[in-house]
Amino acid sequence: MKDIFDECNFGEFKLKSRIIRTGAWERQTEDGGFLSSEVFERYEKMAKSGVGLILSEMFAFDPKDRFYEYSSNINYRGFIKDYKQITGICHEYDVPILGQLAFFYYDDGDNQKAEPNDLTIDGIRKLQAEVIMVAKKFSFAGFDGVQINMGNNFYLSRFTNPYFNQRKDKYGGNTLNRLRIVLEIIQLIKKTIGFHVSCRINIEDVRKGGLTQEESMKMAKLLAEHGAESIQITGRTISMKYDASQKHIFLDFANKLAQDIDIPVILAGNLRDMETMNGILNTSNIEFMSLSKPFIAQADFLADWKENGKGTSRCKGCNNCYSKKESRCLQFDAIDD
């Protein structure tokens, strides 16, 4: 019987469990962008609780980006020092950590909100170079790899989506062409840095003429063929067209994908209790699961689950942390203090 606390391999990493923490917003900073003590305490609680791998909060590289003020800051002068301490905390407990890059807008130098169809080839090269520089900064700060968030409604999700991308050159049209911008980024990161590269992709988006599950499956396989070393499944809010009370909405897709590719597939979304998660592990091809809001509600909840052999997150799924773009639980933080 498989268990979420099995030691296992995840690409080149040896994990202490099958649980992956996914970060979202980062608001707990001080003047100038420096991390507050609460951030370091949060990471230590997570790292020593039994988590297998950590995906950081979202990083954006442009101060004019839509979510920049709610994201981790890669540009402040204390970035390397602060995040070397963060990654050092994770490594002290033998937990690998990937930096998550997610940006909503892109400034190509002429247009602060250049959409996929607007970019010239020079604009594409500029975007790729900036992503590589972010990955390089991650490596300087001690991260073990990078996750490229090309899911939800972030910029690269739109670039790779046929609804938005109507380009007529080699970066538009069929699946391979629309994905080319990311595939080239992956290959450059592998060549210049040697990082683990993870990609976060949507299952579909239910727009007419948009991303379908069939198209998403093709994209995932191309990513794996071109050097991506893990894939996390997610979706836009309006894509939740299924009855989540009956079945995990991403499970069938992730299960099929995990059977078809040779890299780790991470199942995300509304995972709250150990019994359900172990049930998925033992009735599907899924080997890894990610949680976000449960770690916001209680950073070290996995320690209790491991000790008791069971557990349910105290997260109520109110979604206030996400909608208010906070890195803390608005229900429980005051109680814990």
Side-chain angles (χ1 to χ4, degrees):
M1 293 284 287
K2 291 185 289 186
D3 186 86
I4 62 171
F5 291 109
D6 291 339
E7 292 188 356
C8 53
N9 293 320
F10 183 93
E12 71 271 38
F13 304 126
K14 181 77 171 180
L15 306 189
K16 295 190 294 184
S17 76
R18 301 180 185 274
I19 303 302
I20 294 166
R21 178 268 191 167
T22 298
W25 313 116
E26 182 57 87
R27 298 284 296 275
Q28 292 178 305
T29 56
E30 299 172 345
D31 289 344
F34 292 88
L35 300 182
S36 66
S37 60
E38 288 85 357
V39 179
F40 298 102
E41 291 168 4
R42 183 203 317 154
Y43 269 90
E44 182 159 23
K45 286 180 178 179
M46 290 190 297
K48 69 180 182 182
S49 71
V51 69
L53 180 144
I54 289 177
L55 296 171
S56 76
E57 283 73 29
M58 294 182 289
F59 283 88
F61 53 76
D62 185 349
K64 300 181 293 295
D65 199 12
R66 178 178 177 180
F67 299 123
Y68 189 81
E69 66 177 301
Y70 313 118
S71 301
S72 294
N73 186 343
I74 201 164
N75 296 317
Y76 71 103
R77 61 187 175 86
F79 167 77
I80 298 295
K81 179 179 180 295
D82 275 357
Y83 279 94
K84 269 195 171 181
Q85 188 172 343
I86 291 291
T87 58
I89 289 169
C90 297
H91 295 155
E92 180 180 351
Y93 294 99
D94 298 321
V95 176
I97 176 171
L98 309 184
Q100 180 191 169
L101 174 61
F103 55 100
F104 193 87
Y105 296 134
Y106 182 65
D107 181 354
D108 66 355
D110 296 318
N111 185 345
Q112 292 184 5
K113 299 178 181 179
E115 286 298 326
N117 296 331
D118 302 328
L119 291 185
T120 63
I121 296 299
D122 286 344
I124 287 175
R125 295 292 175 259
K126 180 176 180 290
L127 184 153
Q128 291 174 321
E130 291 185 5
V131 172
I132 301 301
M133 287 305 299
V134 171
K136 198 70 174 176
K137 281 189 175 182
F138 284 160
S139 71
F140 291 153
F143 286 93
D144 299 291
V146 58
Q147 182 180 72
I148 301 172
N149 190 333
M150 45 188 292
N152 307 114
N153 209 29
F154 288 105
Y155 192 84
L156 290 173
S157 76
R158 302 198 302 278
F159 200 106
T160 55
N161 188 324
Y163 179 87
F164 294 99
N165 186 334
Q166 302 296 320
R167 299 177 67 95
K168 303 301 182 182
D169 61 6
K170 67 177 183 178
Y171 291 96
N174 62 34
T175 310
L176 176 62
N177 282 356
R178 283 181 282 104
L179 199 59
R180 189 183 305 277
I181 187 172
V182 178
L183 301 180
E184 291 174 345
I185 287 170
I186 293 171
Q187 290 170 341
L188 282 168
I189 290 174
K190 301 304 295 182
K191 181 178 180 179
T192 60
I193 306 173
F195 248 7
H196 181 106
V197 179
S198 179
C199 293
R200 189 174 183 181
I201 66 170
N202 290 332
I203 180 176
E204 61 178 318
D205 70 3
V206 301
R207 291 185 179 95
K208 185 177 181 180
L211 187 72
T212 64
Q213 289 197 26
E214 180 182 12
E215 185 78 0
S216 183
M217 188 70 71
K218 290 180 183 177
M219 286 171 51
K221 291 178 180 179
L222 283 168
L223 288 167
E225 290 170 8
H226 287 79
E229 292 164 287
S230 59
I231 291 177
Q232 183 180 24
I233 305 302
T234 187
R236 295 191 316 116
T237 302
I238 65 168
S239 70
M240 309 307 185
K241 64 180 184 179
Y242 309 100
D243 185 353
S245 65
Q246 298 297 314
K247 193 172 189 178
H248 192 292
I249 57 176
F250 302 148
L251 180 57
D252 287 344
F253 180 92
N255 183 41
K256 176 67 165 57
L257 180 61
Q259 183 179 18
D260 289 353
I261 63 176
D262 293 329
I263 62 174
V265 173
I266 307 165
L267 179 66
N270 297 319
L271 297 165
R272 295 287 186 270
D273 69 276
M274 186 171 171
E275 181 179 3
T276 296
M277 294 163 71
N278 276 335
I280 292 172
L281 282 175
N282 286 285
T283 57
S284 73
N285 298 302
I286 301 300
E287 300 281 348
F288 304 96
M289 301 182 189
S290 68
L291 296 85
S292 178
K293 298 180 185 72
F295 283 102
I296 296 175
Q298 183 184 353
D300 57 358
F301 73 94
L302 285 178
D304 295 336
W305 287 20
K306 188 171 186 179
E307 180 179 355
N308 298 328
K310 61 181 180 179
T312 299
S313 170
R314 69 179 184 176
C315 174
K316 304 300 183 183
C318 68
N319 218 35
N320 278 335
C321 59
Y322 189 85
S323 62
K324 295 183 182 299
K325 299 176 176 55
E326 291 279 359
S327 46
R328 61 188 181 90
C329 180
L330 302 178
Q331 290 199 39
F332 292 111
D333 273 19
I335 296 173
D336 292 344
D337 291 343

